[in-house]
């Protein structure tokens, strides 16, 4: 097969609704980015510009290019126009002749256009109709309950759901050629894909079975294969079976290495001519969603190579509001940050897109298991025959594209549709439509084209139909939003013993540095127009302030409020994740909402749109660490009539949680300090750490000391050492931090260059500082740690890396820092 790319050609676009002049376009791309490049619209992310750009979704657009077909392509029997992604309502014309109409963004298309081509210049035109016009005129009887689309009925078109708005993203309904477009010429037959299966034997060997999939059936074909690892040939020969006696297994992040074999397959016609070639990187592993009966109900755990894995990770949304042309580097920035925080699973949420191959390449390389939703979220979808046919094509293409991936762990039908529409699904017609799509069509497609990866109908879901939180303590996966949406106390995380928590979260504000990328000067107030436009949850600002006010004192500036909102977010996720990890193996997964942002915004993410880590991501690196010391304070502090405080917090249970494969011996330590620096109680205990164990190692009764010294004047330091190295430590408060009488501290920072683009900084303090955070204004950098506990008289060393060479003098000038006590 011969290929000729069309994306590098000179493309033009125009607004056909206004019959505007032709402008230069980029492919892959979309109308918003093309209009921005042509300076026809302002930056959609700046200030309140988004609202003024809603007219774009109402207009029709046209793209065109001219190309000359290489003469050798005409030697083939068929020349196909191949479009991997058209967004969305498109009419395709070649040399003025209409060849197709499309209405599914997630489907790749192939059309034989050889009869329409000529030896000279050819013109390809693609007219994109307004998605809103399509929505108004199609499936008009479908009137779903809306949760995120302020206009409504976006479910009737197969298009990226969150383009129509979400509670963290803008409404920017775009159009364009969003993935690759090219010519492919071939004769006789074509190799479409290869279905790969792995058989792992008890003796450790692995057998690969290869099933070529052709455009047409053909007898007598032959298969040649070559398998290499790190450029070394490990198997080569003919046939559809490869046996490896001593394979290197692929493991999730933190459980082993991620060796990726390169598998090259060549298919030959019976006469020896090459029919096609297929090459992929694969990992040798088994992955299963294990749901077996146990004393509590039914497990929900991922088992990799026979080992139950506690899933540590976050939910992924599209990395940009304009997804066309997302690069490997853009994905790598956030996915490498996930791996650095000890995550081993990413859930690709069902309101976005099926990501590009570069995304899954990185997950394979980094050991990030992929929970893959199909692209359906929250509201009910149609069930007519044409809609189901389109979805069947979409699903089959995506399953065949991704099924070989080492990282692929689960196919999931949708996000929250069943749990949000239980009452509506009591209507027989709506239930029939729902079941036809998520309980029949999608599992059938997965079984037909994959048959290895498990399918789960929805998230959250219980296979007995019980959607209550109590049922989540027995089986299935749970989304827990009582903390945040219902404004329940953070301690409510500890009320429930879920089997797997696949969504839970807390918002915070983006850093002042990220806010400066979208806020006009003088309009950065969190309740001002620009900031409100970058807060897409209707009650978001009020909820942030509510939770911040419960835990911290009134801040002295907006920058301090931002810092406190991030501390609160980190604290909430820490309480939830550590609770779920302490429940191991009853609970076997914690995926917080969310990892990333699609634009600069106040949100639940731990990584800001600019790539800057929120406090949460730094803290996540600690609470997801393979060896963890965790404190559970069963009591709580409340108020009575008259706003008098009452506390039942006197005991502290100290746990070790361990999911490192090799066992270890450690030393658990604890020390109760007065804020003036005096040590009031201390102790140590030798501990044995084994894979998959959460162990209550010690219970401290601090009742007497709290009565003697006041809980407002003490804090508990806990730590876990392995081989005389501290691998986990934390500070435990016995009251809300706003009541603590923290002293002001003097801080010293000493920089040492370790290279032109690397340095270390050593911080020391005269007093305890909670969540010490530093920044280097104007210096692009990454830090090995931040938002940490700085204890008096103890040096804290942080490694720094820069994008440009730096001097010690420059770093000293740029340094700024704060801790909790500096916020009021």
């Amino acid at each position: 097969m011969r290929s000729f790319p069309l994306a590098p050609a000179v493309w033009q676009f125009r607004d056909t609704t206004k019959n505007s002049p032709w402008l230069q376009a980029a492919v892959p791309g979309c109308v918003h980015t093309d209009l921005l490049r042509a300076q026809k619209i302002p930056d959609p992310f700046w200030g309140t510009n988004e609202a003024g750009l809603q007219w774009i979704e109402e207009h029709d657009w046209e793209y065109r290019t001219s190309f000359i077909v290489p003469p050798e392509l005409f030697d083939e029997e068929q020349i196909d126009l191949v479009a991997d992604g058209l967004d969305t309502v498109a009419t395709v014309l070649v040399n003025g002749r209409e060849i197709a109409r499309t209405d599914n963004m997630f489907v790749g298309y192939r059309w034989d256009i050889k009869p329409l081509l000529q030896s000279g210049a050819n013109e390809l035109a693609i007219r994109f109709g307004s998605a809103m016009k399509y929505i108004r005129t199609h499936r008009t009887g479908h009137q779903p309950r809306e949760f995120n689309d302020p206009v409504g009925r976006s479910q009737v078109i197969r298009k990226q759901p969150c383009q129509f708005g979400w509670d963290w993203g803008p409404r920017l309904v775009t159009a364009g050629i969003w993935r690759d477009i090219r010519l492919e010429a071939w004769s006789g037959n074509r190799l479409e894909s290869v279905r790969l299966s792995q058989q792992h034997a008890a003796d450790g060997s692995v057998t690969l079975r290869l099933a070529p999939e052709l455009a047409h059936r053909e007898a007598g074909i032959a298969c040649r294969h070559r398998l290499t690892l790190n450029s070394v040939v490990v198997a080569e020969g003919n046939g559809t079976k490869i046996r490896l006696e001593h394979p290197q297994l692929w493991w999730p992040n933190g459980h082993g290495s991620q060796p990726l074999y390169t598998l090259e397959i060549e298919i030959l016609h019976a006469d020896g001519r090459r029919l096609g070639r297929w090459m992929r990187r694969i990992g040798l592993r088994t992955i299963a969603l294990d749901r077996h009966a146990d004393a509590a109900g039914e497990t929900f755990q991922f088992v990799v190579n026979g080992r139950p894995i506690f899933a540590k990770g976050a939910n992924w949304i599209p990395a940009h509001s304009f997804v066309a042309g997302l690069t490997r580097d853009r994905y790598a920035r956030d996915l490498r940050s996930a791996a650095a925080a000890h995550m081993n699973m990413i859930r690709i949420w069902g309101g976005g897109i099926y990501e590009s191959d570069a995304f899954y390449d990185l997950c394979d390389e980094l050991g990030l298991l992929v929970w893959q939703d199909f692209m359906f979220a929250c509201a009910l979808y149609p069930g007519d025959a044409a809609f189901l046919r389109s979805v069947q094509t979409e699903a089959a293409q995506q399953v065949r594209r991704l099924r070989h991936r080492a990282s692929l762990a689960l196919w999931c039908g949708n996000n929250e549709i069943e749990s949000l529409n239980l009452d509506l699904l009591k209507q027989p017609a709506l239930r029939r439509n729902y079941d036809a799509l998520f309980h029949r069509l999608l599992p059938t497609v997965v079984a037909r084209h994959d048959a290895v990866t498990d399918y789960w109908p929805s998230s959250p879901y219980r296979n007995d139909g019980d959607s209550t939180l109590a049922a989540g303590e027995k089986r299935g996966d749970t989304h827990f939003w009582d903390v945040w949406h219902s404004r329940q106390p953070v301690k409510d995380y500890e009320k429930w013993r879920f089997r797997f928590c696949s969504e839970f979260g807390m918002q915070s504000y983006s850093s002042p540095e990220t806010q400066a990328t979208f806020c006009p000067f003088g309009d950065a107030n969190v309740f001002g127009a620009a900031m409100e436009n970058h807060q897409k949850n209707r009650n978001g600002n009020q909820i942030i302030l509510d939770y911040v006010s419960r835990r911290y004192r009134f801040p002295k500036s907006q920058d301090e409020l931002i810092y406190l909102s991030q501390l609160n977010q980190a604290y909430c996720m820490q309480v939830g994740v550590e609770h779920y990890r302490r429940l191991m193996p009853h609970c076997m997964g914690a995926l917080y909402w969310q990892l990333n942002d699609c634009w600069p915004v106040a949100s639940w993410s731990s990584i800001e749109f600019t790539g800057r880590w929120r406090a949460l991501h730094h803290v996540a690196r600690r609470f997801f660490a393979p060896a963890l010391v965790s404190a559970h304070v069963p009591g709580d502090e409340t108020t009575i009539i008259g706003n008098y405080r009452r506390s039942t917090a006197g005991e502290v249970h100290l746990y070790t949680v361990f999911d490192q494969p090799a066992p270890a011996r450690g030393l658990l330590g604890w020390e109760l300090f007065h804020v003036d620096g005096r040590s009031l109680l201390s102790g140590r205990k030798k501990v044995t750490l084994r894979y998959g164990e959460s162990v209550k190692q010690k219970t401290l009764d601090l009742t007497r000391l709290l009565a003697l010294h006041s809980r407002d004047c003490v804090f508990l330091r806990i730590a876990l050492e392995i081989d005389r190295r501290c691998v986990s430590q934390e500070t435990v408060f016995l009251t809300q931090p706003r009541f603590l009488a923290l002293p002001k501290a003097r801080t010293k920072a000493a920089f040492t260059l370790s290279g032109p683009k690397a340095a270390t900084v050593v911080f020391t303090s005269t007093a305890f500082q909670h969540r010490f955070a530093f920044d280097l204004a104007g210096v692009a950098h990454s830090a090995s740690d931040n938002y940490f506990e700085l204890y008096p008289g103890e040096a804290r060393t942080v490694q720094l890396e820069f994008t440009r060479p730096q001097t010690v003098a420059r770093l000293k000038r740029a340094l700024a820092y704060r801790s909790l006590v500096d916020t009021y």
Side-chain angles (χ1 to χ4, degrees), residues 112-311:
D112 180 10
I113 62 170
K114 185 176 180 180
L116 302 179
L117 296 175
Q118 51 200 26
S119 58
N122 296 269
E123 184 178 82
L124 169 63
I126 305 179
R127 298 170 182 166
F128 291 96
S130 160
M132 295 311 299
K133 294 176 184 175
Y134 180 99
I135 289 169
R136 293 189 193 102
T137 56
H138 287 71
R139 302 181 176 96
T140 55
H142 186 71
Q143 299 288 336
R145 175 187 295 154
E146 293 293 350
F147 298 94
N148 297 285
D149 179 354
V151 178
R153 291 194 356 99
S154 57
Q155 300 77 21
V156 304
I157 188 173
R158 290 306 295 143
K159 185 172 171 64
Q160 178 185 342
C162 63
Q163 280 190 10
F164 297 90
W166 223 265
D167 59 359
W168 37 257
R171 182 183 177 92
L172 294 167
V173 182
T174 193
I177 305 166
W178 76 288
R179 282 192 166 156
D180 188 42
I181 188 166
R182 61 195 176 277
L183 299 180
E184 289 185 355
W186 54 284
S187 298
N189 209 343
R190 176 172 50 85
L191 177 62
E192 292 186 333
S193 183
V194 176
R195 185 167 178 169
L196 174 68
S197 63
Q198 304 182 20
Q199 294 177 325
H200 291 243
D203 63 3
S205 65
V206 174
T207 300
L208 302 178
R209 297 190 182 275
L210 316 173
E213 297 176 340
L214 308 179
H216 311 299
R217 288 188 177 183
E218 181 174 337
I221 63 169
C223 178
R224 292 177 181 169
H225 57 257
R226 189 169 187 261
L227 190 68
T228 60
L229 180 63
N230 301 323
S231 300
V232 177
V233 177
V234 296
E236 190 170 21
N238 298 314
T240 57
K241 185 170 75 171
I242 306 173
R243 179 177 170 84
L244 299 176
E245 298 290 344
H246 305 289
Q248 295 188 33
L249 298 185
W250 182 95
W251 289 95
N253 184 34
H255 289 265
S257 60
Q258 294 80 42
L260 293 171
Y261 291 78
T262 299
L263 176 60
E264 300 174 75
I265 296 173
E266 187 178 48
I267 304 300
L268 306 175
H269 293 286
D271 60 7
R273 291 179 297 113
R274 178 194 280 184
L275 191 158
R277 184 170 175 268
W278 188 87
M279 184 171 69
R280 298 290 188 276
R281 291 191 305 168
I282 64 170
L284 304 181
R285 86 296 182 267
T286 62
I287 301 177
L289 175 60
D290 174 33
R291 294 166 43 230
H292 69 263
D294 65 3
E298 182 181 85
T299 61
F300 193 100
Q301 62 183 0
F302 291 91
V303 177
V304 181
N305 301 327
R307 180 188 299 167
I309 303 290
F310 187 98

Side-chain angles (χ1 to χ4, degrees), residues 578-590:
E578 291 195 12
H579 170 64
Y580 300 135
R581 292 192 70 188
R582 290 195 301 266
L583 290 175
M584 185 173 66
H586 174 86
C587 176
M588 286 299 285

Side-chain angles (χ1 to χ4, degrees), residues 735-756:
T735 186
Q736 297 291 353
R738 62 193 174 107
F739 297 124
L740 289 174
L742 294 174
K744 294 281 187 178
R746 296 189 302 277
T747 305
K748 291 184 178 180
F751 288 96
T752 304
L753 293 180
S754 51

Side-chain angles (χ1 to χ4, degrees), residues 12 109 121 363 583:
Q12 295 177 308
Y109 298 94
C363 289
L583 290 175

Side-chain angles (χ1 to χ4, degrees), residues 466-748:
D466 189 343
S467 66
T468 63
L469 293 177
E473 297 187 300
K474 300 175 182 177
R475 59 181 56 83
D477 73 307
T478 297
H479 294 187
F480 184 69
W481 286 105
D482 283 11
V483 178
W484 176 260
H485 285 302
S486 299
R487 303 198 194 189
Q488 295 302 307
V490 179
K491 290 280 286 184
D492 274 21
Y493 283 121
E494 297 173 349
K495 286 174 54 176
W496 302 97
R497 294 172 51 84
F498 300 132
R499 305 311 301 258
F500 194 108
C501 199
S502 45
E503 272 194 29
F504 58 105
M506 175 61 60
Q507 267 202 15
S508 70
Y509 294 115
S510 291
S511 64
E513 291 75 14
T514 294
Q515 287 187 8
T517 67
F518 67 83
C519 272
F521 181 76
D523 192 22
N525 190 286
V526 293
F527 294 130
M531 284 291 290
E532 282 286 359
N533 192 58
H534 289 254
Q535 164 59 274
K536 291 302 183 182
N537 184 276
R538 279 184 289 182
N539 301 311
N541 286 335
Q542 289 70 34
I543 299 177
I544 290 175
L545 294 178
D546 182 8
Y547 278 101
V548 167
S549 69
R550 298 182 201 183
R551 187 162 175 81
Y552 304 109
R553 297 189 189 185
F554 191 83
K556 62 186 180 184
S557 71
Q558 181 164 294
D559 283 2
E560 307 302 341
L561 171 62
I562 293 169
Y563 166 81
L564 292 179
S565 77
Q566 294 202 9
L567 258 57
N568 175 72
Q569 180 190 33
Y571 166 73
C572 293
M573 294 301 92
Q574 181 178 11
V575 171
V577 168
E578 291 195 12
H579 170 64
Y580 300 135
R581 292 192 70 188
R582 290 195 301 266
L583 290 175
M584 185 173 66
H586 174 86
C587 176
M588 286 299 285
L591 310 179
Y592 65 71
W593 184 272
Q594 65 208 61
L595 181 70
N596 60 320
D597 281 328
C598 67
W599 76 320
V601 65
S603 81
W604 296 267
S605 75
S606 60
I607 304 173
E608 296 176 2
F609 180 69
T610 56
R612 186 183 181 95
W613 288 17
R614 282 182 162 105
L616 167 56
H617 209 80
H618 290 284
V619 176
R621 182 152 57 178
R622 297 194 279 274
F623 62 58
F624 276 146
L628 173 71
V629 58
S630 178
H632 175 224
V633 181
D636 201 2
E637 188 171 67
T638 58
T639 57
I640 62 171
I641 294 173
N643 203 28
Y644 299 105
R645 294 158 57 199
R646 294 292 182 266
S647 179
T648 57
E651 286 188 341
V652 180
H653 302 310
L654 302 183
Y655 287 76
T656 56
V657 181
F658 195 69
D659 60 8
Q660 194 168 292
R665 295 187 181 277
L667 185 63
L668 173 66
W670 59 90
E671 191 163 8
L672 185 70
F673 287 96
H674 195 281
V675 291
D676 64 12
R678 285 178 292 154
S679 176
L680 306 177
L681 173 74
S682 65
R684 290 188 165 193
K685 179 186 176 181
K686 294 180 179 179
V687 295
T688 299
L689 305 169
R690 299 182 184 87
Y691 177 79
E693 288 188 354
S694 168
V695 179
K696 185 195 294 186
Q697 300 283 6
K698 180 72 175 179
T699 295
L700 304 177
D701 187 351
L702 304 179
T703 307
R704 183 184 63 83
L705 288 172
L706 293 176
L708 185 63
H709 296 282
S710 171
R711 64 186 66 251
D712 295 353
C713 296
V714 299
F715 62 89
L716 178 68
R717 181 181 181 181
I718 58 176
L720 177 64
E721 294 180 5
I722 298 177
D723 296 331
R724 297 185 178 181
R725 184 175 69 89
C726 181
V727 296
S728 179
Q729 67 175 334
E730 192 51 276
T731 304
V732 183
F733 300 133
L734 285 306
T735 186
Q736 297 291 353
R738 62 193 174 107
F739 297 124
L740 289 174
L742 294 174
K744 294 281 187 178
R746 296 189 302 277
T747 305
K748 291 184 178 180

